[in-house]
PDB file of all heavy atoms in Angstrom:
ATOM      1  N   ASP A  17      95.437  98.731  96.362  1.00 97.00           N
ATOM      2  CA  ASP A  17      96.866  98.590  96.601  1.00 97.00           C
ATOM      3  C   ASP A  17      97.318  97.153  96.324  1.00 97.00           C
ATOM      4  O   ASP A  17      96.502  96.281  96.024  1.00 97.00           O
ATOM      5  CB  ASP A  17      97.198  98.985  98.043  1.00 97.00           C
ATOM      6  CG  ASP A  17      97.051 100.480  98.277  1.00 97.00           C
ATOM      7  OD1 ASP A  17      96.871 101.222  97.292  1.00 97.00           O
ATOM      8  OD2 ASP A  17      97.117 100.915  99.446  1.00 97.00           O
ATOM      9  N   ILE A  18      98.615  96.911  96.455  1.00 97.00           N
ATOM     10  CA  ILE A  18      99.204  95.623  96.144  1.00 97.00           C
ATOM     11  C   ILE A  18      99.782  95.003  97.418  1.00 97.00           C
ATOM     12  O   ILE A  18     100.351  95.704  98.255  1.00 97.00           O
ATOM     13  CB  ILE A  18     100.304  95.781  95.075  1.00 97.00           C
ATOM     14  CG1 ILE A  18      99.690  96.338  93.781  1.00 97.00           C
ATOM     15  CG2 ILE A  18     101.011  94.447  94.801  1.00 97.00           C
ATOM     16  CD1 ILE A  18     100.720  96.717  92.733  1.00 97.00           C
ATOM     17  N   ASP A  19      99.635  93.697  97.547  1.00 98.00           N
ATOM     18  CA  ASP A  19     100.166  92.962  98.694  1.00 98.00           C
ATOM     19  C   ASP A  19     101.674  93.224  98.835  1.00 98.00           C
ATOM     20  O   ASP A  19     102.456  92.865  97.946  1.00 98.00           O
ATOM     21  CB  ASP A  19      99.909  91.466  98.486  1.00 98.00           C
ATOM     22  CG  ASP A  19     100.373  90.622  99.672  1.00 98.00           C
ATOM     23  OD1 ASP A  19     100.933  91.169 100.626  1.00 98.00           O
ATOM     24  OD2 ASP A  19     100.151  89.393  99.615  1.00 98.00           O
ATOM     25  N   PRO A  20     102.120  93.840  99.931  1.00 98.00           N
ATOM     26  CA  PRO A  20     103.542  94.159 100.086  1.00 98.00           C
ATOM     27  C   PRO A  20     104.463  92.936 100.056  1.00 98.00           C
ATOM     28  O   PRO A  20     105.654  93.058  99.752  1.00 98.00           O
ATOM     29  CB  PRO A  20     103.608  94.858 101.447  1.00 98.00           C
ATOM     30  CG  PRO A  20     102.229  95.376 101.680  1.00 98.00           C
ATOM     31  CD  PRO A  20     101.324  94.364 101.051  1.00 98.00           C
ATOM     32  N   LYS A  21     103.932  91.759 100.365  1.00 98.00           N
ATOM     33  CA  LYS A  21     104.748  90.547 100.311  1.00 98.00           C
ATOM     34  C   LYS A  21     105.311  90.325  98.906  1.00 98.00           C
ATOM     35  O   LYS A  21     106.375  89.724  98.751  1.00 98.00           O
ATOM     36  CB  LYS A  21     103.926  89.332 100.721  1.00 98.00           C
ATOM     37  CG  LYS A  21     103.578  89.260 102.195  1.00 98.00           C
ATOM     38  CD  LYS A  21     102.785  87.998 102.507  1.00 98.00           C
ATOM     39  CE  LYS A  21     102.424  87.913 103.986  1.00 98.00           C
ATOM     40  NZ  LYS A  21     101.620  86.691 104.288  1.00 98.00           N
ATOM     41  N   LEU A  22     104.594  90.810  97.899  1.00 98.00           N
ATOM     42  CA  LEU A  22     105.015  90.581  96.519  1.00 98.00           C
ATOM     43  C   LEU A  22     106.265  91.371  96.156  1.00 98.00           C
ATOM     44  O   LEU A  22     106.927  91.068  95.165  1.00 98.00           O
ATOM     45  CB  LEU A  22     103.877  90.924  95.559  1.00 98.00           C
ATOM     46  CG  LEU A  22     102.671  89.981  95.618  1.00 98.00           C
ATOM     47  CD1 LEU A  22     101.525  90.525  94.780  1.00 98.00           C
ATOM     48  CD2 LEU A  22     103.053  88.579  95.140  1.00 98.00           C
ATOM     49  N   PHE A  23     106.583  92.395  96.936  1.00 97.00           N
ATOM     50  CA  PHE A  23     107.822  93.125  96.686  1.00 97.00           C
ATOM     51  C   PHE A  23     108.701  93.168  97.934  1.00 97.00           C
ATOM     52  O   PHE A  23     109.522  94.058  98.119  1.00 97.00           O
ATOM     53  CB  PHE A  23     107.575  94.530  96.122  1.00 97.00           C
ATOM     54  CG  PHE A  23     106.516  95.346  96.847  1.00 97.00           C
ATOM     55  CD1 PHE A  23     106.861  96.251  97.832  1.00 97.00           C
ATOM     56  CD2 PHE A  23     105.183  95.220  96.494  1.00 97.00           C
ATOM     57  CE1 PHE A  23     105.895  97.011  98.480  1.00 97.00           C
ATOM     58  CE2 PHE A  23     104.209  95.989  97.124  1.00 97.00           C
ATOM     59  CZ  PHE A  23     104.564  96.872  98.120  1.00 97.00           C
ATOM     60  N   GLY A  24     108.531  92.147  98.793  1.00 97.00           N
ATOM     61  CA  GLY A  24     109.447  91.933  99.900  1.00 97.00           C
ATOM     62  C   GLY A  24     109.391  92.932 101.020  1.00 97.00           C
ATOM     63  O   GLY A  24     110.396  93.184 101.693  1.00 97.00           O
ATOM     64  N   GLN A  25     108.203  93.502 101.283  1.00 97.00           N
ATOM     65  CA  GLN A  25     108.075  94.485 102.357  1.00 97.00           C
ATOM     66  C   GLN A  25     106.938  94.108 103.294  1.00 97.00           C
ATOM     67  O   GLN A  25     106.030  93.337 102.932  1.00 97.00           O
ATOM     68  CB  GLN A  25     107.800  95.882 101.782  1.00 97.00           C
ATOM     69  CG  GLN A  25     108.939  96.455 100.952  1.00 97.00           C
ATOM     70  CD  GLN A  25     108.632  97.856 100.435  1.00 97.00           C
ATOM     71  OE1 GLN A  25     107.753  98.541 100.959  1.00 97.00           O
ATOM     72  NE2 GLN A  25     109.362  98.283  99.421  1.00 97.00           N
ATOM     73  N   LEU A  26     106.986  94.631 104.511  1.00 96.00           N
ATOM     74  CA  LEU A  26     105.875  94.549 105.435  1.00 96.00           C
ATOM     75  C   LEU A  26     104.933  95.726 105.169  1.00 96.00           C
ATOM     76  O   LEU A  26     105.368  96.750 104.634  1.00 96.00           O
ATOM     77  CB  LEU A  26     106.373  94.606 106.884  1.00 96.00           C
ATOM     78  CG  LEU A  26     107.257  93.434 107.337  1.00 96.00           C
ATOM     79  CD1 LEU A  26     107.834  93.724 108.718  1.00 96.00           C
ATOM     80  CD2 LEU A  26     106.458  92.135 107.349  1.00 96.00           C
ATOM     81  N   PRO A  27     103.652  95.600 105.505  1.00 94.00           N
ATOM     82  CA  PRO A  27     102.727  96.721 105.282  1.00 94.00           C
ATOM     83  C   PRO A  27     103.164  97.979 106.022  1.00 94.00           C
ATOM     84  O   PRO A  27     103.383  97.960 107.229  1.00 94.00           O
ATOM     85  CB  PRO A  27     101.399  96.188 105.838  1.00 94.00           C
ATOM     86  CG  PRO A  27     101.526  94.698 105.757  1.00 94.00           C
ATOM     87  CD  PRO A  27     102.974  94.410 106.036  1.00 94.00           C
ATOM     88  N   GLU A  28     103.333  99.056 105.269  1.00 94.00           N
ATOM     89  CA  GLU A  28     103.730 100.333 105.861  1.00 94.00           C
ATOM     90  C   GLU A  28     103.203 101.449 104.971  1.00 94.00           C
ATOM     91  O   GLU A  28     103.917 102.024 104.166  1.00 94.00           O
ATOM     92  CB  GLU A  28     105.252 100.426 105.990  1.00 94.00           C
ATOM     93  CG  GLU A  28     105.718 101.627 106.788  1.00 94.00           C
ATOM     94  CD  GLU A  28     107.223 101.620 107.009  1.00 94.00           C
ATOM     95  OE1 GLU A  28     107.870 100.599 106.739  1.00 94.00           O
ATOM     96  OE2 GLU A  28     107.740 102.658 107.459  1.00 94.00           O
ATOM     97  N   GLY A  29     101.919 101.722 105.126  1.00 95.00           N
ATOM     98  CA  GLY A  29     101.276 102.725 104.286  1.00 95.00           C
ATOM     99  C   GLY A  29     100.323 102.128 103.268  1.00 95.00           C
ATOM    100  O   GLY A  29      99.507 102.841 102.684  1.00 95.00           O
ATOM    101  N   THR A  30     100.418 100.820 103.062  1.00 95.00           N
ATOM    102  CA  THR A  30      99.493 100.147 102.151  1.00 95.00           C
ATOM    103  C   THR A  30      98.110 100.094 102.773  1.00 95.00           C
ATOM    104  O   THR A  30      97.969  99.850 103.977  1.00 95.00           O
ATOM    105  CB  THR A  30      99.987  98.721 101.832  1.00 95.00           C
ATOM    106  OG1 THR A  30     101.157  98.818 101.024  1.00 95.00           O
ATOM    107  CG2 THR A  30      98.939  97.927 101.076  1.00 95.00           C
ATOM    108  N   ARG A  31      97.093 100.297 101.965  1.00 94.00           N
ATOM    109  CA  ARG A  31      95.711 100.275 102.436  1.00 94.00           C
ATOM    110  C   ARG A  31      95.080  98.946 102.056  1.00 94.00           C
ATOM    111  O   ARG A  31      95.696  97.898 102.228  1.00 94.00           O
ATOM    112  CB  ARG A  31      94.962 101.475 101.854  1.00 94.00           C
ATOM    113  CG  ARG A  31      95.567 102.812 102.301  1.00 94.00           C
ATOM    114  CD  ARG A  31      95.014 103.995 101.539  1.00 94.00           C
ATOM    115  NE  ARG A  31      95.656 105.240 101.949  1.00 94.00           N
ATOM    116  CZ  ARG A  31      95.469 106.407 101.337  1.00 94.00           C
ATOM    117  NH1 ARG A  31      94.675 106.495 100.268  1.00 94.00           N
ATOM    118  NH2 ARG A  31      96.100 107.490 101.763  1.00 94.00           N
ATOM    119  N   SER A  32      93.876  98.931 101.561  1.00 93.00           N
ATOM    120  CA  SER A  32      93.200  97.677 101.246  1.00 93.00           C
ATOM    121  C   SER A  32      93.825  97.023 100.024  1.00 93.00           C
ATOM    122  O   SER A  32      94.153  97.692  99.040  1.00 93.00           O
ATOM    123  CB  SER A  32      91.715  97.929 100.994  1.00 93.00           C
ATOM    124  OG  SER A  32      91.526  98.804  99.905  1.00 93.00           O
ATOM    125  N   PHE A  33      94.021  95.708 100.090  1.00 96.00           N
ATOM    126  CA  PHE A  33      94.554  94.970  98.955  1.00 96.00           C
ATOM    127  C   PHE A  33      93.958  93.560  98.949  1.00 96.00           C
ATOM    128  O   PHE A  33      93.437  93.082  99.954  1.00 96.00           O
ATOM    129  CB  PHE A  33      96.087  94.922  98.975  1.00 96.00           C
ATOM    130  CG  PHE A  33      96.691  94.303 100.205  1.00 96.00           C
ATOM    131  CD1 PHE A  33      96.999  92.954 100.240  1.00 96.00           C
ATOM    132  CD2 PHE A  33      96.960  95.074 101.335  1.00 96.00           C
ATOM    133  CE1 PHE A  33      97.564  92.370 101.372  1.00 96.00           C
ATOM    134  CE2 PHE A  33      97.526  94.507 102.469  1.00 96.00           C
ATOM    135  CZ  PHE A  33      97.828  93.155 102.487  1.00 96.00           C
ATOM    136  N   ASP A  34      94.052  92.919  97.807  1.00 97.00           N
ATOM    137  CA  ASP A  34      93.463  91.598  97.596  1.00 97.00           C
ATOM    138  C   ASP A  34      94.568  90.666  97.110  1.00 97.00           C
ATOM    139  O   ASP A  34      94.890  90.639  95.923  1.00 97.00           O
ATOM    140  CB  ASP A  34      92.339  91.702  96.562  1.00 97.00           C
ATOM    141  CG  ASP A  34      91.602  90.401  96.342  1.00 97.00           C
ATOM    142  OD1 ASP A  34      92.161  89.332  96.615  1.00 97.00           O
ATOM    143  OD2 ASP A  34      90.443  90.450  95.863  1.00 97.00           O
ATOM    144  N   PRO A  35      95.186  89.896  98.008  1.00 97.00           N
ATOM    145  CA  PRO A  35      96.310  89.043  97.618  1.00 97.00           C
ATOM    146  C   PRO A  35      95.978  88.060  96.505  1.00 97.00           C
ATOM    147  O   PRO A  35      96.811  87.828  95.617  1.00 97.00           O
ATOM    148  CB  PRO A  35      96.655  88.312  98.923  1.00 97.00           C
ATOM    149  CG  PRO A  35      96.164  89.204 100.011  1.00 97.00           C
ATOM    150  CD  PRO A  35      94.921  89.819  99.459  1.00 97.00           C
ATOM    151  N   ALA A  36      94.784  87.486  96.525  1.00 97.00           N
ATOM    152  CA  ALA A  36      94.410  86.518  95.489  1.00 97.00           C
ATOM    153  C   ALA A  36      94.315  87.197  94.126  1.00 97.00           C
ATOM    154  O   ALA A  36      94.780  86.660  93.113  1.00 97.00           O
ATOM    155  CB  ALA A  36      93.086  85.846  95.849  1.00 97.00           C
ATOM    156  N   LEU A  37      93.716  88.383  94.085  1.00 98.00           N
ATOM    157  CA  LEU A  37      93.606  89.129  92.832  1.00 98.00           C
ATOM    158  C   LEU A  37      94.990  89.492  92.304  1.00 98.00           C
ATOM    159  O   LEU A  37      95.259  89.336  91.104  1.00 98.00           O
ATOM    160  CB  LEU A  37      92.785  90.399  93.054  1.00 98.00           C
ATOM    161  CG  LEU A  37      92.714  91.388  91.889  1.00 98.00           C
ATOM    162  CD1 LEU A  37      92.065  90.749  90.667  1.00 98.00           C
ATOM    163  CD2 LEU A  37      91.959  92.655  92.302  1.00 98.00           C
ATOM    164  N   ASP A  38      95.856  89.969  93.168  1.00 98.00           N
ATOM    165  CA  ASP A  38      97.208  90.334  92.745  1.00 98.00           C
ATOM    166  C   ASP A  38      97.906  89.160  92.063  1.00 98.00           C
ATOM    167  O   ASP A  38      98.543  89.317  91.013  1.00 98.00           O
ATOM    168  CB  ASP A  38      98.046  90.775  93.945  1.00 98.00           C
ATOM    169  CG  ASP A  38      97.524  92.035  94.610  1.00 98.00           C
ATOM    170  OD1 ASP A  38      96.733  92.762  93.972  1.00 98.00           O
ATOM    171  OD2 ASP A  38      97.921  92.298  95.765  1.00 98.00           O
ATOM    172  N   ARG A  39      97.792  87.994  92.641  1.00 98.00           N
ATOM    173  CA  ARG A  39      98.484  86.825  92.106  1.00 98.00           C
ATOM    174  C   ARG A  39      97.860  86.332  90.806  1.00 98.00           C
ATOM    175  O   ARG A  39      98.577  85.848  89.913  1.00 98.00           O
ATOM    176  CB  ARG A  39      98.545  85.728  93.173  1.00 98.00           C
ATOM    177  CG  ARG A  39      99.584  86.061  94.256  1.00 98.00           C
ATOM    178  CD  ARG A  39      99.334  85.379  95.592  1.00 98.00           C
ATOM    179  NE  ARG A  39     100.384  85.706  96.554  1.00 98.00           N
ATOM    180  CZ  ARG A  39     100.445  86.845  97.238  1.00 98.00           C
ATOM    181  NH1 ARG A  39      99.527  87.785  97.067  1.00 98.00           N
ATOM    182  NH2 ARG A  39     101.437  87.061  98.088  1.00 98.00           N
ATOM    183  N   LEU A  40      96.554  86.443  90.688  1.00 98.00           N
ATOM    184  CA  LEU A  40      95.906  86.106  89.417  1.00 98.00           C
ATOM    185  C   LEU A  40      96.383  87.021  88.305  1.00 98.00           C
ATOM    186  O   LEU A  40      96.709  86.579  87.201  1.00 98.00           O
ATOM    187  CB  LEU A  40      94.380  86.211  89.556  1.00 98.00           C
ATOM    188  CG  LEU A  40      93.633  85.041  90.184  1.00 98.00           C
ATOM    189  CD1 LEU A  40      92.168  85.422  90.406  1.00 98.00           C
ATOM    190  CD2 LEU A  40      93.716  83.804  89.299  1.00 98.00           C
ATOM    191  N   GLN A  41      96.441  88.319  88.597  1.00 98.00           N
ATOM    192  CA  GLN A  41      96.876  89.280  87.587  1.00 98.00           C
ATOM    193  C   GLN A  41      98.338  89.070  87.203  1.00 98.00           C
ATOM    194  O   GLN A  41      98.693  89.164  86.029  1.00 98.00           O
ATOM    195  CB  GLN A  41      96.644  90.705  88.093  1.00 98.00           C
ATOM    196  CG  GLN A  41      95.160  91.058  88.183  1.00 98.00           C
ATOM    197  CD  GLN A  41      94.914  92.427  88.781  1.00 98.00           C
ATOM    198  OE1 GLN A  41      95.587  92.829  89.733  1.00 98.00           O
ATOM    199  NE2 GLN A  41      93.952  93.147  88.240  1.00 98.00           N
ATOM    200  N   LEU A  42      99.179  88.739  88.163  1.00 98.00           N
ATOM    201  CA  LEU A  42     100.582  88.480  87.857  1.00 98.00           C
ATOM    202  C   LEU A  42     100.750  87.217  87.017  1.00 98.00           C
ATOM    203  O   LEU A  42     101.611  87.157  86.132  1.00 98.00           O
ATOM    204  CB  LEU A  42     101.398  88.369  89.146  1.00 98.00           C
ATOM    205  CG  LEU A  42     101.699  89.692  89.857  1.00 98.00           C
ATOM    206  CD1 LEU A  42     102.271  89.432  91.248  1.00 98.00           C
ATOM    207  CD2 LEU A  42     102.661  90.549  89.038  1.00 98.00           C
ATOM    208  N   ALA A  43      99.919  86.206  87.269  1.00 98.00           N
ATOM    209  CA  ALA A  43      99.984  84.980  86.480  1.00 98.00           C
ATOM    210  C   ALA A  43      99.577  85.247  85.030  1.00 98.00           C
ATOM    211  O   ALA A  43     100.190  84.718  84.090  1.00 98.00           O
ATOM    212  CB  ALA A  43      99.085  83.914  87.098  1.00 98.00           C
ATOM    213  N   ILE A  44      98.555  86.066  84.843  1.00 98.00           N
ATOM    214  CA  ILE A  44      98.130  86.426  83.489  1.00 98.00           C
ATOM    215  C   ILE A  44      99.210  87.249  82.803  1.00 98.00           C
ATOM    216  O   ILE A  44      99.535  87.035  81.627  1.00 98.00           O
ATOM    217  CB  ILE A  44      96.787  87.190  83.527  1.00 98.00           C
ATOM    218  CG1 ILE A  44      95.674  86.258  84.016  1.00 98.00           C
ATOM    219  CG2 ILE A  44      96.447  87.754  82.154  1.00 98.00           C
ATOM    220  CD1 ILE A  44      94.364  86.964  84.299  1.00 98.00           C
ATOM    221  N   LEU A  45      99.791  88.196  83.534  1.00 98.00           N
ATOM    222  CA  LEU A  45     100.886  88.996  82.979  1.00 98.00           C
ATOM    223  C   LEU A  45     102.030  88.097  82.523  1.00 98.00           C
ATOM    224  O   LEU A  45     102.576  88.282  81.425  1.00 98.00           O
ATOM    225  CB  LEU A  45     101.381  89.991  84.027  1.00 98.00           C
ATOM    226  CG  LEU A  45     102.654  90.776  83.693  1.00 98.00           C
ATOM    227  CD1 LEU A  45     102.484  91.591  82.420  1.00 98.00           C
ATOM    228  CD2 LEU A  45     103.055  91.666  84.867  1.00 98.00           C
ATOM    229  N   LYS A  46     102.384  87.118  83.330  1.00 98.00           N
ATOM    230  CA  LYS A  46     103.473  86.206  82.966  1.00 98.00           C
ATOM    231  C   LYS A  46     103.191  85.504  81.644  1.00 98.00           C
ATOM    232  O   LYS A  46     104.080  85.383  80.787  1.00 98.00           O
ATOM    233  CB  LYS A  46     103.675  85.165  84.066  1.00 98.00           C
ATOM    234  CG  LYS A  46     104.791  84.174  83.757  1.00 98.00           C
ATOM    235  CD  LYS A  46     104.976  83.169  84.893  1.00 98.00           C
ATOM    236  CE  LYS A  46     106.096  82.182  84.562  1.00 98.00           C
ATOM    237  NZ  LYS A  46     106.299  81.200  85.675  1.00 98.00           N
TER     238      LYS A  46
END
């Protein structure tokens, strides 16, 4: 799953996620 902070929400149904990985992938996408 994806860190809910990245889309302005609190965790509500999100399971395991890796905030560092999410941000690395978004930086590469950019």
Side-chain angles (χ1 to χ4, degrees):
D17 290 351
I18 298 172
D19 183 357
K21 289 181 180 179
L22 292 172
F23 47 96
Q25 295 181 19
L26 296 172
E28 189 175 349
T30 290
R31 299 169 183 172
S32 61
F33 58 93
D34 184 337
L37 173 61
D38 296 342
R39 285 156 178 79
L40 279 172
Q41 291 176 320
L42 285 169
I44 294 171
L45 172 59
K46 180 179 180 179

